[in-house]
Each structure stands twice: as structure tokens, then as C-alpha cells.
Amino acid sequence: MKPKLLLHICCAPDEAYAVEVLRELYELHCFFCNPNIFPDKEYELRLNEAQKAAEIYGVPFIYDDYLPDLWVQSVNGLTDTPEGGERCRACFYLRLSRTAAKCAAMGRTDFATVMSVSPHKNVKMLDEAGNLAANEYEVSYIPFNFKKSDGFRKSIELSHKLGLYRQNYCGCELSYIETKARVNS
């Protein structure tokens, strides 16, 4: 019998790749938790695509309430920091602490995140947030670095093959503004 793993999902492309890697090792249950996503239409699109990916793989899927005010509170005072800095650390902790709480509420012991697929995510920072959240809820965070073995490129190929939407920014309003500024400059 495979060990059970609650897998935090940020988006369908990262989910598809991580599920491909982990499905033979774990009994997966996907959990979409992203109060950071802006605007709400983008949230709905990413949620629907993540559900689609879970259906393709036959993996159970649940999602958290969409509570963007929680994200605003979590990055309060950090909005002037760049992407990849302290605001991201706060955002990672918010999402992974909600995942750890869901893990404990489900009677599971282990959780992980797919966020490490992205070349823009600091794996050390993700793992620190995951471990902090795990300790708070007395569950275990299982670290994976899905960037290894060319994971990001493979996630792009897989999302094209499966017809999954690929976003062009992290998800939060600040990253949305920064991405638009880069494109327009």
C-alpha cells in the first residue's frame, strides 16, 4: 500500500508534472489553495484547469475557499519587496499552513507542494515555509525539488500535450503588475 500524500496545487501545469512524478510512489490527493491569485477570473481559470488535470489523472481533488483578503493580510508591509523576496515567503507560508491544516483535518500525516517546478520559486524558502507549517499542525512536510531533471521544461511539454492553460505570472496582483510592466517596457 502506497503512503498517502496531500499535494498542494498552485496551477495545472505544475500539478500535472508533479502527479506524473509522484503517482507511482504515493496515493495522492490534490488540494488547490491559492488566496494569492488575482484577479478572481484568473483564480477561477486556474482552479478549473487544476480540476481538469486531476480528472485526467484520476486523482481526488479538493480546493480551499478563495479568501484573497488573507493574502493581503499576509503580505501587509511587504508589498514593496520584489518577487522572490519576503512577500513570497509570507505567501508560501500562508498557502502551506492552510495545506498543513487541511492535512491534519483529513487525518493525513504528510503533505507536499508542486510549487518547486517553477524556476522562479526558491526551493529553500518553500521548504522552510513547509516545515514551519508542518510543525504548527503536527504533520510532516515532504520536500520535493521538481525543477531537477529538467522538470520545468517537462511541465511545459506536458501542459501542451494535455491542453492545459499556462499562466504568464505567478498569480498575485503584485506579480501581475510587475509582469505587465516588463512586457510593456
Side-chain angles (χ1 to χ4, degrees):
M1 181 161 198
K2 295 185 273 190
K4 295 179 179 184
L5 183 69
L6 182 64
L7 189 60
H8 168 262
I9 305 301
C10 60
C11 64
D14 292 2
E15 171 187 15
Y17 178 69
V19 169
E20 281 276 334
V21 170
L22 297 176
R23 67 184 173 164
E24 298 303 318
L25 303 171
Y26 293 94
E27 180 184 315
L28 299 173
H29 200 122
C30 294
F31 179 56
F32 186 85
C33 175
N34 299 291
N36 59 308
I37 297 177
F38 171 88
D40 57 347
K41 285 173 59 175
E42 180 73 14
Y43 175 86
E44 289 297 325
L45 178 57
R46 292 188 194 194
L47 172 61
N48 291 336
E49 288 294 296
Q51 287 175 312
K52 176 181 165 182
E55 287 172 11
I56 289 169
Y57 288 102
V59 177
F61 182 92
I62 55 177
Y63 58 93
D64 201 7
D65 294 330
Y66 180 49
L67 303 168
D69 289 344
L70 282 180
W71 179 81
V72 170
Q73 291 170 0
S74 75
V75 299
N76 186 31
L78 302 172
T79 56
D80 290 336
T81 63
E83 186 167 355
E86 291 307 306
R87 78 170 193 239
C88 292
R89 181 185 306 277
C91 182
F92 296 161
Y93 177 72
L94 170 65
R95 293 188 280 166
L96 295 179
S97 67
R98 293 186 66 80
T99 303
K102 178 58 80 175
C103 183
M106 293 174 71
R108 296 205 170 202
T109 58
D110 302 318
F111 76 98
T113 183
V114 304
M115 287 191 283
S116 68
V117 172
S118 170
H120 306 290
K121 301 292 186 284
N122 179 317
V123 173
K124 182 176 184 253
M125 193 182 288
L126 277 171
D127 292 347
E128 288 169 357
N131 284 318
L132 188 62
N135 289 337
E136 184 177 339
Y137 289 95
E138 299 179 352
V139 293
S140 295
Y141 171 74
I142 309 298
F144 294 102
N145 184 348
F146 293 114
K147 276 188 259 304
K148 288 185 175 181
S149 302
D150 212 14
F152 181 67
R153 182 188 56 77
K154 290 175 183 173
S155 79
I156 292 171
E157 291 171 358
L158 190 56
S159 62
H160 287 302
K161 176 183 166 188
L162 299 175
L164 300 172
Y165 164 71
R166 283 197 70 81
Q167 62 281 351
N168 64 357
Y169 67 103
C170 172
C172 75
E173 183 174 11
L174 301 170
S175 117
Y176 176 78
I177 292 167
E178 289 170 3
T179 298
K180 285 185 82 164
R182 278 193 301 272
V183 170
N184 293 329
S185 59

